[in-house]
Amino acid sequence: MAFQILLNMFLGFMWMFLTVTYEPVAFLKGYLFGLLIIFVFRRFFESRFYLLRVIAVINLLFIFIRELILSNIAVLKVLLRPKIEVRPGIFAYTTVLKEDWQITVLSSLITLTPGTLVIDVSPDNKVLYVHAMDIEDAKESIKSIKDTFEKAILEVSR
Amino acid sequence: MNGIADFFIIVFILLGAFLSLVAAYGVIRLPDVYTRNHAASKAATLGVMSVLLGSLIFFYVKDGYFNSRVLLGIVFIFMTSPVAGHLISRAAYNSGVKLWGQSVQDDLKSAPHMKKTASKDH
C-alpha cells in the first residue's frame, strides 16, 4: 500500500514537471491522473488497489466514534438508575487476528464498546480476557459486534 | 449561521461537563476497581473530547482562528485513554485486587499463563 501511495506521489510530481506549473492544483491534477493510471495497472501490484484500503480505514474510524457514543449512553443508563444492578465478570474471547497492531486496535475497540474492558492478552496473542459490566446480556450481543470489528480490521489488512 | 454555531458550542460544552460529572459520580458509586474503570475510561474520554471540540468551534467562529493543537489533543486523548484504562485494570488484576463479590465469572483466574502467579499466593 505504501509503495502505491509513493508511486502516486511520484506521478503527481511528474505531472508538475511535464506541465511546468509548480502549484498545489497542478500536483492534485497529476495525483488524480496517477490514481487512474494505478487503477488501470492494478493487476501488476501484489496488494490490492490502495483506495479500497483507505476506505476501510475510514470505515474503522467511524465504527470507533459510533462505539464511543453508544458506550457512553450504556454507562449513563447503568449509573443513573437508582439501584445499581450489574453482574460483572471476566470472560475469555478467542480472536482470529494475528499481528500485533490488529490486536491493539481490536482491544481498544473492545474497551470503547458498551460495557466491556480488556484486562489481559494471553502471551500467544490468541485469547483476550475481557471484563464485562453485565455479563448476561453482554455476551451474546458483544460476540456479534466483535465479529463486525474483526471483519472491519481484517478488511484493512487484506 | 452564528446562531447555529452558538447552539453547537453550548451543546458540546454542556454535554462534556455533564459526562465528566457522570464519570466522577460513577467512580464514587460503583463497587470495585474494574467497574469504576468502565465509567472513568469511557465517560471521561467523550466528556473531555466534546469540551475540546466546543472550544475549537468557539475560537474558530469568534476569532476565525483554527487551533490545530486542540484537534491534536482530541486525537491524542482518543488514542491514549482506552490504553490507560486497560493498563490500570491489568495492573490491578496482576497485583491481586479482588473482583466484586457478586461477580459471576472469572475466566482469567484459570488461564494457563496466570497459573504460576495464582499458586504463589496460596
Side-chain angles (χ1 to χ4, degrees), chain A residues 72 79 81-82 88 90 92 111, chain B residues 29 42-43 86 90 104-105 107:
Chain A
N72 272 283
L79 286 179
R81 241 178 252 155
I90 298 173
T111 301
Chain B
R29 207 173 161 211
K42 282 164 199 165
H86 161 67
R90 186 174 184 269
V104 189
Q105 195 180 348
D107 284 351

Side-chain angles (χ1 to χ4, degrees), chain B residues 1 3-4 6-7 16-18 31-32 35 53 57 61 68 74 79 83 89-91 108 113-114 121:
Chain B
M1 181 60 210
I4 300 168
D6 280 348
F7 173 75
F18 174 69
D32 70 346
T35 44
L53 198 61
I57 300 171
V61 170
S68 54
I74 292 172
M79 279 165 56
V83 181
S89 54
R90 186 174 184 269
L108 188 53
H113 67 282
M114 295 297 286
D121 296 338

Side-chain angles (χ1 to χ4, degrees), chain A:
Chain A
M1 176 187 175
F3 172 71
Q4 290 184 37
I5 291 175
L6 209 62
L7 185 66
N8 205 344
M9 298 281 272
F10 174 75
L11 288 173
F13 280 114
M14 193 68 116
W15 182 266
M16 284 200 325
F17 290 131
L18 281 174
T19 54
V20 206
T21 44
Y22 307 105
E23 283 159 3
V25 180
F27 178 75
L28 205 68
K29 216 193 261 174
Y31 195 88
L32 289 177
F33 282 125
L35 202 66
L36 192 71
I37 290 169
I38 287 177
F39 179 72
V40 169
F41 286 97
R42 66 191 179 283
R43 70 190 181 95
F44 295 106
F45 298 108
E46 280 174 10
S47 56
R48 50 183 192 148
F49 183 54
Y50 80 92
L51 215 59
L52 296 174
R53 218 183 238 193
V54 172
I55 290 169
V57 169
I58 292 168
N59 186 24
L60 198 63
L61 194 71
F62 276 112
I63 290 177
F64 257 104
I65 292 168
R66 196 190 64 203
E67 290 304 319
L68 184 61
I69 292 166
L70 285 180
S71 74
N72 272 283
I73 293 168
V75 165
L76 278 185
K77 266 188 195 159
V78 170
L79 286 179
L80 298 181
R81 241 178 252 155
K83 192 160 171 270
I84 289 189
E85 297 161 349
V86 289
R87 295 161 63 77
I90 298 173
F91 66 90
Y93 176 75
T94 315
T95 179
V96 296
L97 301 176
K98 297 247 157 40
E99 283 169 50
D100 283 350
W101 70 267
Q102 292 174 331
I103 289 171
T104 312
V105 170
L106 180 70
S107 56
S108 45
L109 253 175
I110 291 172
T111 301
L112 292 177
T113 323
T116 51
L117 200 133
V118 176
I119 287 192
D120 207 354
V121 182
S122 70
D124 55 355
N125 280 356
K126 274 183 189 148
V127 186
L128 299 178
Y129 294 95
V130 182
H131 183 271
M133 191 96 136
D134 212 333
I135 205 153
E136 303 279 296
D137 56 65
K139 222 169 174 183
E140 292 304 312
S141 60
I142 281 164
K143 274 265 159 69
S144 70
I145 293 169
K146 261 182 279 178
D147 287 340
T148 65
F149 292 168
E150 281 192 341
K151 237 171 97 185
I153 292 171
L154 283 175
E155 188 70 21
V156 172
S157 52
R158 196 155 64 93

